[in-house]
Amino acid sequence: PACANCSTFKCKSVTPTNERRFCIMKEIILAYQGEMTLKGLNRGKFEARLSKIIRWRLEPLGKFKVYQAQSTVFIEPKEDGLDMDEAFRRVSHVFGIVKLSRAVECPKDFAAICETAEAYLGETLRGIRTFKVEAKRADKTYPMKSPEICRELGAYLLDKHHHLRVDVHNPQLEIMVEIRDYAAYVHGPKVEAAGGLPVGTSGRALNLLSGGIDSPVASYMIAKRGVELEMIHFASPPYTSEQAREKVLQLARELVPWCGRLNVTIVPFAEIQEEIRRNCPEDHFTLIMRRFMMRLADALARDLNCRALVTGESLGQVASQTMDALAVSGDVTDLPVLRPVIGMDKEEIVRIARHIGTFETSILPYEDCCTVFTPRHPKTRPHVEEVREMEQALDVEGLVRRAMEGREVVKLR
């Protein structure tokens, strides 16, 4: 509950005297780092990038102070009335953060810790039956050890709430106390966050974004490894509709909370597909189409200073994703091709798509260019030399040049 006088946190259960004391108590967010703690001399760069991303994400909500200490990011509101629920949600989507908690700060005095725990969590304790206390004493000079803090704080809360009992195995509420260098922090259980590495710490790559389920999941998974993404999409009007184009842009919008700002380059692809249909065997159509996609992606990636390509290919899922077919499509680029979902089955991919919020958009019934002129019996074991010979009937350079000249960029923030 918010204080009627200053809009900061206040528990309804405190006495009038304590009410004035805790009126100044504000919630903060504690964001805990994951594998960045292992980065050695490069750790400072990772942490600086993480803080910068958090500030970007929170800037529309108001003024927050973001600083780091002891493998934790402290996010403190600097204005009254800020939406802490939305701030918590946004930070939970930032790669590089493994867990989150909402907490209050108090002096490193045990009496103050007890009063703070009651003021902050007392209302919750009245509605449950079991709890336990966990303590972490990062400041080893603090006179009480962790087991003693747990025991004494637990006894204090049991004295305040006679209906409660301690359950160390399956409590309804876990109360956490952290004794750090400059203050103590009281909060409830930590919440799982995005994990991974901050976006931008592992370079830039170009993702081939279709309207399906797999490529948005690939985007999410490679961004989780710290890769900053650009997007390319191939559109084939009049064979594909305006709704199909909007579907892809909506998928990109749904990726922004995870991947950060995105630029989607839309490349016209109908002329290339028509030329392939007129001049190449039907069973090789999808393979040659994929080779053109990789050529166009390679050209755009070099223009945008991207160091790799990213696709949503899953081994054996369709005819163009057999091991031989992947070798043929990758033959036209020297850039590394990253395939984050290559070893996943469809159920695993769908589960992640639901988690990141792209699944419902992906299954909208608007076809993309991959479904245009689909061969009845696609080749599953092609040979690179054979496909190269077939492409001699096409003006490859001219088709790529005209497609790149017709590209359009949509910026999403």
Side-chain angles (χ1 to χ4, degrees):
C3 173
N5 297 320
C6 70
S7 78
T8 56
F9 174 85
K10 178 193 70 158
C11 180
K12 292 179 180 178
S13 66
V14 295
T15 64
T17 301
N18 281 342
E19 183 173 316
R20 289 191 296 272
R21 174 176 181 177
F22 286 107
C23 182
I24 61 173
M25 183 169 58
K26 289 186 177 181
E27 275 193 318
I28 67 171
I29 297 173
L30 301 180
Y32 303 90
Q33 297 177 12
E35 60 186 285
M36 285 196 304
T37 58
L38 306 175
K39 292 301 177 184
L41 296 177
N42 291 323
R43 181 173 170 180
K45 295 179 181 179
F46 284 79
E47 291 181 336
R49 181 67 179 180
L50 178 62
S51 293
K52 188 175 184 179
I53 292 171
I54 292 174
R55 292 189 186 99
W56 280 345
R57 301 289 177 88
L58 297 181
E59 185 176 3
L61 301 181
K63 293 182 179 179
F64 289 84
K65 181 181 179 182
V66 179
Y67 56 99
Q68 301 200 33
Q70 297 173 302
S71 302
T72 304
V73 184
F74 295 77
I75 303 161
E76 178 183 341
K78 302 304 292 181
E79 299 174 329
D80 295 336
L82 297 183
D83 189 345
M84 293 297 286
D85 290 336
E86 177 63 14
F88 190 87
R89 188 193 69 81
R90 291 188 179 208
V91 177
S92 72
H93 286 59
V94 174
F95 292 124
I97 299 299
V98 66
K99 289 187 178 180
L100 286 172
S101 63
R102 292 166 73 158
V104 288
E105 178 184 315
C106 67
K108 291 193 295 184
D109 171 79
F110 187 69
I113 292 171
C114 290
E115 294 174 4
T116 300
E118 169 62 19
Y120 188 48
L121 300 170
E123 189 74 21
T124 302
L125 290 170
R126 273 185 286 279
I128 62 173
R129 292 291 180 182
T130 62
F131 80 106
K132 78 169 183 177
V133 178
E134 288 284 348
K136 180 179 179 181
R137 190 174 61 114
D139 178 7
K140 301 304 181 184
T141 65
Y142 189 73
M144 298 176 69
K145 294 186 178 180
S146 297
E148 186 180 0
I149 295 171
C150 296
R151 183 177 65 249
E152 296 300 325
L153 178 55
Y156 175 87
L157 295 172
L158 285 171
D159 186 58
K160 292 286 185 179
H161 304 274
H162 298 290
H163 69 287
L164 286 176
R165 65 180 178 86
V166 174
D167 183 345
V168 298
H169 300 294
N170 189 29
Q172 290 176 277
L173 176 65
E174 185 177 31
I175 298 174
M176 310 288 294
V177 179
E178 299 188 40
I179 310 296
R180 293 181 175 260
D181 287 345
Y182 301 107
Y185 299 88
V186 178
H187 56 86
K190 298 176 182 178
V191 176
E192 295 291 332
L197 297 172
V199 170
T201 56
S202 298
R204 287 161 55 85
L206 179 67
N207 184 72
L208 283 72
L209 183 65
S210 70
I213 299 172
D214 301 346
S215 60
V217 171
S219 305
Y220 162 83
M221 292 184 66
I222 206 67
K224 187 174 183 176
R225 300 311 306 155
V227 177
E228 182 181 356
L229 290 175
E230 296 280 343
M231 299 289 187
I232 185 171
H233 173 69
F234 303 99
S236 299
Y239 304 105
T240 56
S241 64
E242 183 63 27
Q243 290 95 329
R245 167 194 163 98
E246 182 54 36
K247 172 185 173 180
V248 170
L249 294 178
Q250 180 59 28
L251 286 172
R253 293 186 191 99
E254 291 163 355
L255 288 169
V256 166
W258 302 99
C259 303
R261 58 187 65 183
L262 293 174
N263 298 324
V264 183
T265 301
I266 301 174
V267 178
F269 203 61
E271 182 189 4
I272 292 173
Q273 290 179 296
E274 290 170 345
E275 286 297 304
I276 296 172
R277 183 180 61 171
R278 281 194 290 265
N279 295 284
C280 299
E282 181 187 359
D283 60 347
H284 282 74
F285 174 82
T286 301
L287 286 166
I288 297 174
M289 180 188 72
R290 290 291 298 175
R291 284 167 63 87
F292 271 93
M293 289 180 175
M294 299 297 279
R295 288 187 179 99
L296 292 164
D298 180 276
L300 182 62
R302 296 179 191 280
D303 285 348
L304 299 176
N305 196 30
C306 294
R307 305 288 295 275
L309 305 180
V310 182
T311 74
E313 292 162 320
S314 174
L315 188 63
Q317 187 177 112
V318 295
S320 63
Q321 294 174 14
T322 64
M323 197 172 293
D324 294 316
L326 294 175
V328 169
S329 61
D331 171 62
V332 297
T333 177
D334 293 329
L335 292 175
V337 181
L338 308 179
R339 299 180 172 98
V341 302
I342 191 70
M344 299 173 65
D345 62 35
K346 202 64 176 183
E347 288 186 5
E348 293 173 298
I349 297 171
V350 167
R351 185 166 62 248
I352 296 174
R354 292 185 186 278
H355 169 67
I356 65 178
T358 59
F359 178 74
E360 296 300 329
T361 302
S362 292
I363 62 174
L364 292 174
Y366 304 123
E367 296 182 337
D368 60 26
C369 69
C370 295
T371 61
V372 178
F373 310 141
T374 303
R376 290 168 293 181
H377 304 289
K379 190 79 170 179
T380 58
R381 293 188 175 182
H383 300 284
V384 172
E385 295 78 10
E386 185 181 15
V387 176
R388 288 175 181 168
E389 185 176 344
M390 294 175 185
E391 287 181 337
Q392 291 180 5
L394 303 170
D395 178 14
V396 173
E397 292 184 3
L399 289 169
V400 170
R401 184 184 68 254
R402 289 192 293 275
M404 291 295 289
E405 289 172 351
R407 68 185 184 268
E408 172 194 358
V409 180
V410 180
K411 298 182 178 182
L412 303 175
R413 301 289 182 265

